[in-house]
């Protein structure tokens, strides 16, 4: 992402944007937070959304990037997401979401890269933070005849004959996104999940330990206390622990919170 770095004249000195993997993760986490809060009603964040991203990024990274630098990184990240969606949505590339690998031959890759050279960055590594980016961008990106990977998987698996239109409701994660999370849990339900002490029993204690490891959820915050109430229901504990990334766990908790009090 070095192409994003820009120099500025002496009259307006600015910190040069250096998007390391750690800074990129902070940025994506903040974009996800603002998306779930309803500060991205369409394809772009509101002024409040950008202000929150800029202020919190400064607090977490110690760097003061202005809106233009953050917007540049947003544009680059969105382009990477579009390239990735088109790549995994192309049948000849044989993307397997379970093994997170491509089954395409060398000839397939050569042919694909001739017309899609930007996809070379994903030849030997997958898109980082793809789950968070799917929540952020899904429904706002049009990629020709291909579809975002989750939509394509649902059709191929025969689990859905049609797709609901995507509407990002204010202060709520779209229902289709929650359904995708549930699908992810169901697809892994036959796998034995091991914890440090052995097989999980989905206890409240396990959930709290997992919750305490999520940096985005401040202990004692409203979302933290809501999660403790959610953990009283075993089905919710299973869903929470089965979700594979902190970002998806936070997204699910936000969705549950927006849907109303937990049902016990």
């Amino acid at each position: 992402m070095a192409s994003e770095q820009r120099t500025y004249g002496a009259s307006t000195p600015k910190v040069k944007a250096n998007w390391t993997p750690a800074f990129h993760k902070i940025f994506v986490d903040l974009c996800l937070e603002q998306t779930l809060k309803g500060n991205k009603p369409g394809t772009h964040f509101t002024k409040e959304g950008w202000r929150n991203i800029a202020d919190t990024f400064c607090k977490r990274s110690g760097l003061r990037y202005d809106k233009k630098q953050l917007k540049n990184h947003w544009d680059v990240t969105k382009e990477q997401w579009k390239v990735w969606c088109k790549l995994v949505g192309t049948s000849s590339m044989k993307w397997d979401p379970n093994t997170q690998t491509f089954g395409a031959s060398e000839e397939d890759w050569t042919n694909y890269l001739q017309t899609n050279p930007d996809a070379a960055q994903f030849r030997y590594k997958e898109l980082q933070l793809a789950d968070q980016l799917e929540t952020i961008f899904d429904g706002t990106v049009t990629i020709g005849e291909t579809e975002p990977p989750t939509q394509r998987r649902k059709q191929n698996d025969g689990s859905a004959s049609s797709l609901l239109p995507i509407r990002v409701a204010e202060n709520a994660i779209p229902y289709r996104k929650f359904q995708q999370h549930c699908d992810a849990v169901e697809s892994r339900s036959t796998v034995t999940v091991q914890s440090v002490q052995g097989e999980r029993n989905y206890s409240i204690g396990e959930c709290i330990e997992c919750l305490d490891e999520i940096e985005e959820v401040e202990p004692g915050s409203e979302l933290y206390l809501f999660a403790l109430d959610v953990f009283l229901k075993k089905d919710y504990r299973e869903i929470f622990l089965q979700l594979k990334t902190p970002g998806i766990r936070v997204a699910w908790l936000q969705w549950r919170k927006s849907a109303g009090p937990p049902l016990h």
Side-chain angles (χ1 to χ4, degrees):
M1 301 181 181
S3 60
E4 295 177 73
Q5 299 180 5
R6 299 188 179 189
T7 58
Y8 300 88
S11 59
T12 56
K14 295 182 182 179
V15 177
K16 193 174 184 180
N18 180 24
W19 291 101
T20 65
F23 292 158
H24 175 64
K25 183 180 185 306
I26 292 174
F27 177 77
V28 171
D29 287 345
L30 294 177
C31 289
L32 178 61
E33 289 177 11
Q34 294 306 308
T35 298
L36 297 177
K37 288 180 178 179
N39 287 330
K40 190 176 77 67
T43 59
H44 299 286
F45 292 109
T46 61
K47 290 183 178 179
E48 179 184 358
W50 279 119
R51 183 171 60 252
N52 292 339
I53 290 172
D55 291 344
T56 311
F57 183 84
C58 181
K59 292 178 182 178
R60 296 186 185 180
S61 69
L63 297 173
R64 172 60 70 179
Y65 289 171
D66 61 22
K67 179 180 176 181
K68 185 174 182 180
Q69 290 170 304
L70 296 172
K71 181 63 167 59
N72 286 343
H73 191 59
W74 165 268
D75 290 339
V76 170
T77 301
K78 186 172 183 178
E79 285 304 312
Q80 288 185 324
W81 169 247
K82 291 168 64 177
V83 171
W84 173 256
C85 282
K86 184 175 182 179
L87 176 63
V88 300
T90 301
S91 59
S92 62
M93 303 313 293
K94 303 174 184 176
W95 168 253
D96 187 338
N98 296 317
T99 63
Q100 301 289 298
T101 57
F102 291 98
S105 65
E106 290 295 330
E107 182 180 0
D108 291 331
W109 271 106
T110 299
N111 292 335
Y112 186 83
L113 293 179
Q114 284 181 349
T115 54
N116 302 277
D118 290 342
Q121 60 187 308
F122 302 124
R123 176 67 177 88
Y124 300 105
K125 64 177 182 179
E126 63 180 303
L127 178 68
Q128 298 301 302
L129 308 176
D131 291 325
Q132 292 94 318
L133 294 178
E134 184 170 4
T135 300
I136 294 168
F137 292 127
D138 201 8
T140 67
V141 178
T142 302
I143 315 173
E145 62 182 13
T146 63
E147 296 172 334
T150 304
Q151 293 184 1
R152 187 180 184 88
R153 287 200 300 271
K154 291 187 72 174
Q155 286 186 326
N156 289 344
D157 293 342
S159 58
S161 59
S162 63
L163 296 174
L164 296 175
I166 302 170
R167 302 287 186 186
V168 181
E170 186 175 359
N171 298 323
I173 183 171
Y175 173 79
R176 195 177 68 78
K177 297 302 305 171
F178 168 67
Q179 187 63 51
Q180 291 171 2
H181 297 162
C182 291
D183 290 346
V185 174
E186 182 180 358
S187 68
R188 295 193 295 275
S189 61
T190 58
V191 179
T192 301
V193 181
Q194 299 293 326
S195 64
V196 176
Q197 292 81 17
E199 186 175 0
R200 277 180 171 166
N201 57 18
Y202 302 103
S203 68
I204 293 177
E206 283 180 301
C207 291
I208 293 177
E209 288 181 5
C210 183
L211 181 66
D212 287 340
E213 294 176 355
I214 302 178
E215 296 180 358
E216 294 89 341
V217 182
E218 184 72 20
S221 66
E222 185 177 352
L223 183 61
Y224 186 94
L225 297 177
F226 175 81
L228 298 183
D229 198 22
V230 166
F231 297 157
L232 294 175
K233 185 175 176 63
K234 185 177 179 181
D235 288 346
Y236 289 166
R237 295 199 298 270
E238 291 183 8
I239 291 175
F240 180 78
L241 291 176
Q242 287 280 15
L243 296 175
K244 61 182 180 179
T245 67
I248 292 183
R249 290 189 178 112
V250 172
W252 180 75
L253 286 174
Q254 290 278 10
W255 182 87
R256 277 279 4 134
K257 187 172 182 294
S258 69
L263 300 176
H264 301 310

